Amino acid sequence: TAAEAVHFRTLLGLREPMIVESGCGMYVPRGYFREAPPGGSERGDDLRYALAVGRDEVLRGLAALNERTGGSLRGFSDMTADEVARETGLSPDMAAAALDREFDEPFKFMRREAEFAGSLPGWAAERGLRLLTGARFHHLHGQSDKGRALREMAALYRRERGPVRTLALGDSPLDLPML
């Protein structure tokens, strides 16, 4: 999330652009590029760029998927910060930051995963959404991914600074478009 990324950006003393929530959003510090990319909205010291639909649309989609699975799904939106901390190993403060979402909804099966896991991507696509699997959770979001966000960010750098090299690291299928 932007809240998590801003925390680490501040902790490390950086002032760099950030890609957030499975590649569905980008944050660029105001004034970072000589010419601000069009389409950003002001969020604190950053310009926020949405690459996919917002969380409200994603949560409506998750509710529809949950109905189709007979209530088998549980998203972050259903959890408290303490529950997210237990599920993820995050500190309570970072779990609260993980709940401050704008684009992507992590969720897990509470039951019947074998019965429905194969159908969910198609059902999500019917709603114009995408479902990817991360290291611990499934993720529902709009039509973007980490690969698209990386290409968009690299294009911003190229436009202003010339050729760039990128390095991507990942540990789950959610990272494959970026890799």
Side-chain angles (χ1 to χ4, degrees):
T1 65
E4 292 169 292
V6 165
H7 167 82
F8 287 110
R9 183 171 72 178
T10 302
L11 186 68
L12 296 170
L14 300 174
R15 188 181 176 274
E16 306 301 322
M18 309 175 304
I19 295 170
V20 300
E21 296 189 44
S22 304
C24 293
M26 299 187 316
Y27 278 73
V28 177
R30 278 186 279 172
Y32 187 84
F33 294 112
R34 286 187 300 264
E35 184 180 323
S41 59
E42 291 189 11
R43 295 290 164 97
D45 293 334
D46 293 296
L47 294 173
R48 173 189 173 263
Y49 295 89
L51 301 178
V53 297
R55 188 167 186 229
D56 289 345
E57 181 65 26
V58 171
L59 290 178
R60 283 190 288 277
L62 184 62
L65 296 180
N66 200 24
E67 187 175 316
R68 288 179 96 164
T69 65
S72 297
L73 311 178
R74 187 155 193 254
F76 269 31
S77 59
D78 300 317
M79 298 181 190
T80 66
D82 286 339
E83 289 173 299
V84 170
R86 278 193 303 276
E87 289 283 338
T88 62
L90 293 171
S91 71
D93 287 344
M94 291 309 297
L99 286 171
D100 188 8
R101 309 193 75 77
E102 299 174 274
F103 305 105
D104 173 82
E105 180 69 2
F107 70 92
K108 65 180 188 171
F109 278 88
M110 300 304 293
R111 62 187 181 283
R112 302 173 74 184
E113 184 168 5
E115 183 179 349
F116 291 112
S119 301
L120 282 185
W123 293 345
E126 290 173 6
R127 298 191 63 87
L129 300 173
R130 237 176 135 179
L131 185 122
L132 294 171
T133 300
R136 288 180 288 240
F137 295 94
H138 300 282
H139 290 258
L140 186 65
H141 52 258
Q143 295 297 323
S144 194
D145 58 46
K146 292 179 182 185
R148 176 184 173 205
L150 179 61
R151 289 187 301 276
E152 297 266 349
M153 187 67 73
L156 294 176
Y157 276 96
R158 264 194 305 283
R159 186 184 81 210
E160 186 160 306
R161 301 178 183 172
V164 297
R165 287 186 181 181
T166 61
L167 171 67
L169 303 172
D171 66 352
S172 76
L174 189 64
D175 300 319
L176 288 175
M178 171 183 69
L179 297 171

